[in-house]
Amino acid sequence: MKSEEFDVLIVGAGAAGMMCAIEAGKRGRRVLVVDHAAAPGEKIRISGGGRCNFTNLGTGPANFLSENPRFATSALRRYTQHDFIALMNRHGIAWHEKTLGQLFCDDSARQIIRLLTGEMRQAGAVLRLNTGVEGVAREGDGFLCRLSDGGTVRTAALVAATGGKSIPKMGATGWAYDLAAQFGVRVVPTRPALVPLTFEPGLLEQLKTLAGVSVNAVVAHGRTCFAEGLLFTHRGLSGPSILQISSYWREGDAVTVDMAPGVAVFDALKTARTENGRQAVHTALGRVIPARLAESIAMREGVAGNLADQSDKVLKRLGEAVGAWSVKPVGSEGYRTAEVTLGGVDTAALDQRTLAVKTVPGLYFIGEAVDVTGWLGGYNFQWAWSSGWCAGQAC
């Protein structure tokens, strides 16, 4: 059985793991990165339709969910979005801002993977793919790790960068959570986040004609709201506004949807009634929202006939159905389509500057494995860069 020694063993060759390896290697540490996947950076590769939404210009602690929302502040300040942009620029990778501060590669996400693997090689880090860690034991001040290839690695520092449970078809597992439990570190209960929401069969039947219809919307849950696109699907609702609110939504809760933000629908219908009362209700409503959606709402509200025949009370009800639709999803599409995992390794157990476990010297958790979850729009990649960089300065 082959036995090796390294200063740092990083499990997971994703965004956080590769960033950590680069920084630790620059410090002269002997670094081994292992991943059970056949290629590094698979989430990077598929992100943003293959162009990777690699950060957000507006990144700050307010864009993250956690039991301790302040935990991410130190890492985000020590390695900022502007630091990663500078790294991109040094490598000549062209990028653009799409919307709401979201930055994407002009060309391919593979450029970022090449950037990271190239920086790792330059820093002397060793990357070993198709290799997992099947067992971890404390050995003195370090760790003895048993690899899936039958070999063992002794290491002073062990970094868990294996992400969460989202997108299992790409190899996502709960390995980091199991490791945390082994060493007595609490894991905040996990759930899918940035994920489409689903409806019960009766409501789906009512809305089946709307699959594929999209609108700009404001979607709210309590005091939290997002103004972005919404898409009706054959399972329920998706689109950026829904993915965002899904991180806050819980089973049994309703969300409120304004499908014509900035439009006083009741007033618009009253004006249309005065100007042309002969037109059908859904025709007038279709001047504010997509025609198929207008027809569906009029049918659902039991309103038919001409505008002239409708009272203010009826028009007000239609306005509320458009601008304040309260709907109760029954679930989400789950980890299969979730972009990230909410919850994870309890931040109370970690040093906020280094991401090290306070009670287990040499053990680190970074990236999505930690109970720090960003909004849609590049925030989760920035957390990966920032947390990986911070651990790389210390491990």
Side-chain angles (χ1 to χ4, degrees), residues 138 141 143 156-159 356-357 360-364 395:
R138 192 69 160 150
D141 294 333
F143 304 88
L158 176 61
V159 183
V357 176
V360 187
L363 181 60
Y364 299 78
C395 64

Side-chain angles (χ1 to χ4, degrees), residues 48-362:
R51 293 192 173 181
C52 189
N53 180 189
F54 60 86
T55 193
N56 194 294
L57 289 173
T59 302
N63 305 116
F64 294 84
L65 291 80
S66 172
E67 280 194 353
N68 177 8
R70 299 172 63 87
F71 178 83
T73 303
S74 176
L76 294 172
R77 285 180 177 171
R78 293 180 67 210
Y79 190 86
T80 72
Q81 58 270 41
H82 305 293
D83 291 320
F84 193 79
I85 291 168
L87 177 62
M88 295 277 286
N89 291 342
R90 286 199 300 274
H91 281 260
I93 300 176
W95 52 269
H96 62 278
E97 179 183 356
K98 190 172 181 180
T99 183
L100 300 173
Q102 301 170 19
L103 303 189
F104 291 78
C105 297
D106 283 0
D107 187 10
S108 168
R110 295 180 188 275
Q111 293 176 292
I112 295 181
I113 299 172
R114 288 195 292 270
L115 178 162
L116 295 168
T117 54
E119 288 269 332
M120 284 170 59
R121 281 193 300 273
Q122 189 171 341
V126 176
L127 173 61
R128 196 169 297 165
L129 299 169
N130 296 304
T131 306
V133 175
E134 295 187 340
V136 176
R138 192 69 160 150
E139 186 178 76
D141 294 333
F143 304 88
L144 177 64
C145 302
R146 188 176 75 257
L147 305 184
S148 60
D149 63 6
T152 60
V153 171
R154 285 180 169 82
T155 181
L158 176 61
V159 183
T162 52
K165 298 178 181 178
S166 55
I167 320 182
K169 70 179 180 181
M170 301 200 67
T173 70
W175 187 86
Y177 311 140
D178 295 337
L179 182 67
Q182 178 183 339
F183 286 95
V185 177
R186 175 177 175 258
V187 175
V188 176
T190 59
R191 60 183 289 121
L194 301 183
V195 63
L197 298 177
T198 58
F199 293 155
E200 52 88 12
L203 183 55
L204 282 179
E205 180 63 25
Q206 289 183 37
L207 302 177
K208 66 181 181 181
T209 61
L210 296 180
V213 171
S214 62
V215 293
N216 287 323
V218 174
V219 181
H221 177 270
R223 296 182 179 180
T224 304
C225 66
F226 293 94
E228 296 186 65
L230 175 148
L231 173 69
F232 287 87
T233 73
H234 63 285
R235 291 190 181 96
L237 294 175
S238 188
S241 61
I242 293 297
L243 299 188
Q244 296 279 37
I245 213 69
S246 72
S247 296
Y248 297 83
W249 173 83
R250 295 294 181 271
E251 285 78 1
D253 294 350
V255 296
T256 303
V257 183
D258 180 354
M259 293 175 280
V263 178
V265 179
F266 172 50
D267 293 341
L269 291 176
K270 282 204 304 180
T271 299
R273 184 178 60 187
T274 300
E275 294 176 349
N276 180 11
R278 292 184 178 181
Q279 65 182 311
V281 171
H282 66 80
T283 300
L285 200 55
R287 302 186 193 285
V288 178
I289 55 177
R292 278 162 61 192
L293 179 57
E295 292 174 8
S296 176
I297 289 175
M299 183 178 298
R300 195 166 72 244
E301 293 298 321
V303 181
N306 297 335
L307 269 178
D309 301 327
Q310 313 303 326
S311 66
D312 282 1
K313 183 178 179 180
V314 169
L315 298 187
K316 189 172 184 179
R317 193 171 85 238
L318 285 171
E320 291 175 350
V322 173
W325 179 36
S326 180
V327 62
K328 189 179 290 187
V330 294
S332 76
E333 292 193 9
Y335 289 116
R336 181 181 63 83
T337 59
E339 297 203 12
V340 292
T341 303
L342 194 67
V345 176
D346 187 359
T347 59
L350 306 178
D351 182 296
Q352 65 177 352
R353 282 182 58 82
T354 66
L355 284 297
V357 176
K358 297 173 185 175
T359 58
V360 187

